[in-house]
Amino acid sequence: MTDQPLEPRDDLQAQKARGREAPCGSEPQGASASDDAAGTLAPRLAEAEARRDEYLDLLQRTKADFENYRKRALRDQERLVAHAHERLVRELLPILDDLERALEAAERHEDAALVDGVKLVQKSLRKALEKEGLAEIETEGAFDPHVHEAMLTQPGNGAEPGSVLEVVQRGYRLGDKVVRPARVIVAE
């Protein structure tokens, strides 16, 4: 092999390479045809490359659009599922509140069988809601307006001002979202 780059040769060069000379005054056969072909091939090649680049760009844009659509559809689906969970939890929270009130009333009347039955229902319902992502909002310590709703303020005997004295109604969050703030009484 030679280190010279391979280049197309016209017929005259090919004949010289083989050691033959072309007759004087005659052009090699096909020389003008190959020049014409080379002259038309270059623009056709440039046009084909331009079309290739255009198609490649279109393909890349279509791929990016599809990826964006897939991500958007996934986000929409997650939002829909979260909304369905929230709706379910909102419907079940009053039931949980009723059970808690029934438990409080039953404990005052010392009817142990009723208390045990209602406690079992409450425990089952709470477990089902927790499985869906429900968590009770902490009410110990200072009042937090992001998760607590102050029903009223009272003088707190020995309590630090701004701290939660009593919980009127428990609050819950579903994931990071507050479904219902805890309703509390705050110390003055």
Side-chain angles (χ1 to χ4, degrees):
M1 283 226 158
T2 63
D3 290 342
Q4 296 177 4
L6 296 176
E7 294 180 5
R9 299 180 186 180
D10 61 13
D11 288 345
L12 181 61
Q13 289 176 335
Q15 286 178 0
K16 284 183 182 178
R18 283 185 252 136
R20 289 189 235 138
E21 293 282 325
C24 238
S26 70
E27 277 192 27
Q29 294 177 343
S32 65
S34 66
D35 287 345
D36 287 344
T40 59
L41 283 179
R44 288 177 56 201
L45 178 62
E47 181 183 330
E49 287 176 344
R51 265 192 311 217
R52 178 207 59 201
D53 293 342
E54 182 182 329
Y55 291 146
L56 180 61
D57 183 52
L58 181 63
L59 176 66
Q60 289 171 339
R61 287 177 188 269
T62 304
K63 180 181 175 186
D65 287 344
F66 181 75
E67 274 301 308
N68 291 338
Y69 165 78
R70 191 181 62 76
K71 290 175 185 175
R72 185 174 53 251
L74 187 61
R75 277 193 313 267
D76 290 347
Q77 182 181 9
E78 289 172 352
R79 199 171 326 148
L80 183 63
V81 168
H83 181 69
H85 286 296
E86 182 180 344
R87 186 186 53 76
L88 171 68
V89 168
R90 283 187 192 271
E91 289 178 19
L92 292 176
L93 280 176
I95 297 168
L96 186 61
D97 293 337
D98 291 342
L99 282 172
E100 289 172 355
R101 281 191 285 276
L103 278 172
E104 289 172 11
E107 285 176 346
R108 282 181 281 208
H109 296 309
E110 299 178 4
D111 192 3
L114 177 63
V115 171
D116 290 341
V118 175
K119 279 185 179 180
L120 183 63
V121 173
Q122 179 194 25
K123 182 179 177 183
S124 298
L125 182 57
R126 189 176 297 280
K127 186 176 179 182
L129 290 171
E130 285 173 355
K131 197 160 95 173
E132 292 296 325
L134 185 72
E136 188 175 334
I137 293 174
E138 291 295 323
T139 54
E140 297 294 319
F143 174 78
D144 181 0
H146 296 102
V147 294
H148 299 143
E149 182 179 333
M151 300 305 290
L152 59 106
T153 58
Q154 286 182 328
N157 298 335
E160 188 174 315
S163 64
V164 174
L165 290 177
E166 185 182 331
V167 178
V168 176
Q169 187 178 40
R170 293 179 184 172
Y172 297 93
R173 69 174 78 222
L174 188 62
D176 292 338
K177 186 174 181 179
V178 174
V179 176
R180 181 178 75 190
R183 294 185 173 142
V184 297
I185 297 174
V186 183
E188 289 182 329

